Amino acid sequence: MPVTHWACGRTRLDLTLPRVMGVVNVTPDSFFDGGHHFDPERALDHARRLRAEGADIIDVGGESTRPGATPVPPDVELARVLPLVAALAEEGALVSIDTTKPEVMREAVAAGAAIVNDVRALCAADAVATVARTGAGVCLMHMRGEPRTMQEDPVYGDVVRTVRDFLTARAAECEAAGIARERIVIDPGIGFGKTVAHNLALLRALGDLAATGYPVLVGVSRKSTLGALTGQPPADRLPASIAGALAAIARGARLVRVHDVRATVDALQVWRAVGGSVT
Ligand code: PMM
């Protein structure tokens, strides 16, 4: 059955068009926007701007997952994200919570988040059951190891097969626990325990992931693989990020997670107008 939508709480997000998830990290230490929106008012202003620029989803994160990052306790993460989630949901935004912790998932969904975006694919104890008890959509992402150590010499036999098998197994566990298939999106986790070669292999093979039948989300925005290809620091990776987003959509992704919403939306508009839209 072709993918047509993502069921996220009361929203059915039409996926016959490419969709844009805008990133708002309420953290002091994320690799690109860390510290920029740590103040709650600034975070809300930024999220509103991303919505006005055409973001379909606002992804709110309160714990950095950059390589080498140290974890934060749940109460600290909740204090960072809940006011923003509640304010955005109140304004009618489709909000996703970027977390690995069941208590943060639960509270954020109660505050109005309609999507749980988990870089650990609901591997924490009780995470699957927690999401199953809600109607939220879920994004299951692949990560090898954990942020503190994930970039220390990652090795795979066949990276595409490993990632695909992991994600389909996680999705099957979710479905067995009562999370309907139409609520599930998968993500290869660009930069999470992968070398540049691994990331490129995964981007080239997005069609293999899409062939699983689950919609695919990709986050490549400003990431170090783009720096390796262009020689540019994060601040100068906008053109590379746009190219990465378009390439991901062209190869089968239905959603892209980006820091630069306006530029991405503009690029997608042109790309669709000349016949590049997903079918
Ligand atoms: N990347 C980051 C954080 N969360 N979630 C998903 N689903 N996919 C990603 O690629 C992803 C993510 C790291 O980027 P950030 O620090 O700018 O948020």
Side-chain angles (χ1 to χ4, degrees):
M1 267 251 296
V3 174
T4 57
H5 69 279
W6 187 8
C8 315
R10 284 191 299 271
T11 302
R12 286 166 74 86
L13 184 65
D14 179 0
L15 293 182
T16 59
L17 304 174
R19 294 295 174 180
V20 174
M21 174 187 267
V23 180
V24 181
N25 286 315
V26 198
T27 57
D29 56 345
S30 288
F31 84 96
F32 178 59
D33 60 351
H36 292 240
H37 324 112
F38 197 43
D39 171 68
E41 276 306 310
R42 284 180 71 172
L44 185 57
D45 281 351
H46 184 63
R48 285 178 174 148
R49 200 181 91 208
L50 298 189
R51 277 193 84 200
E53 291 177 355
D56 301 291
I57 303 167
I58 301 294
D59 191 38
V60 176
E63 177 177 67
S64 172
T65 50
R66 82 181 147 72
T70 40
V72 297
D75 56 325
V76 173
E77 192 177 330
L78 278 168
R80 290 177 182 176
V81 297
L82 276 191
L84 183 58
V85 167
L88 287 170
E90 177 74 26
E91 293 177 9
L94 184 56
V95 181
S96 106
I97 178 72
D98 187 346
T99 189
T100 62
K101 299 185 183 77
E103 50 269 70
V104 178
M105 296 172 188
R106 192 168 44 241
E107 298 286 323
V109 171
I115 296 168
V116 171
N117 172 28
D118 186 357
V119 299
R120 287 179 208 276
L122 304 188
C123 282
D126 220 30
V128 171
T130 299
V131 173
R133 282 192 288 270
T134 73
V138 60
C139 178
L140 303 171
M141 197 199 82
H142 175 271
M143 168 164 60
R144 180 192 159 279
E146 42 190 279
R148 209 167 40 77
T149 53
M150 66 188 177
Q151 290 307 108
E152 290 171 8
D153 191 26
V155 176
Y156 296 82
D158 177 336
V159 67
V160 173
R161 200 157 137 189
T162 303
V163 169
R164 190 194 55 210
D165 290 355
F166 169 83
L167 291 172
T168 50
R170 295 305 303 150
E173 188 174 327
C174 287
E175 288 188 55
I179 301 175
R181 193 182 177 90
E182 62 174 7
R183 292 169 58 191
I184 301 172
V185 160
I186 59 173
D187 179 341
I190 299 302
F192 285 82
K194 288 140 192 139
T195 62
V196 173
H198 294 141
N199 291 321
L200 293 176
L202 285 164
L203 289 168
R204 285 189 203 107
L206 286 176
D208 289 9
L209 288 187
T212 62
Y214 297 101
V216 176
L217 181 150
V218 169
V220 69
S221 179
R222 306 270 177 176
K223 285 188 178 169
S224 64
T225 289
L226 303 179
L229 293 173
T230 60
Q232 302 291 354
D236 295 326
R237 292 178 192 158
L238 176 58
S241 299
I242 301 299
L246 291 184
I249 296 285
R251 290 203 170 264
R254 297 294 174 116
L255 306 107
V256 283
R257 181 182 179 281
V258 305
H259 301 93
D260 306 280
V261 169
R262 168 160 296 152
T264 308
V265 167
D266 282 358
L268 280 170
Q269 229 134 25
V270 173
W271 185 79
R272 283 183 51 215
V274 294
S277 77
V278 291
T279 49

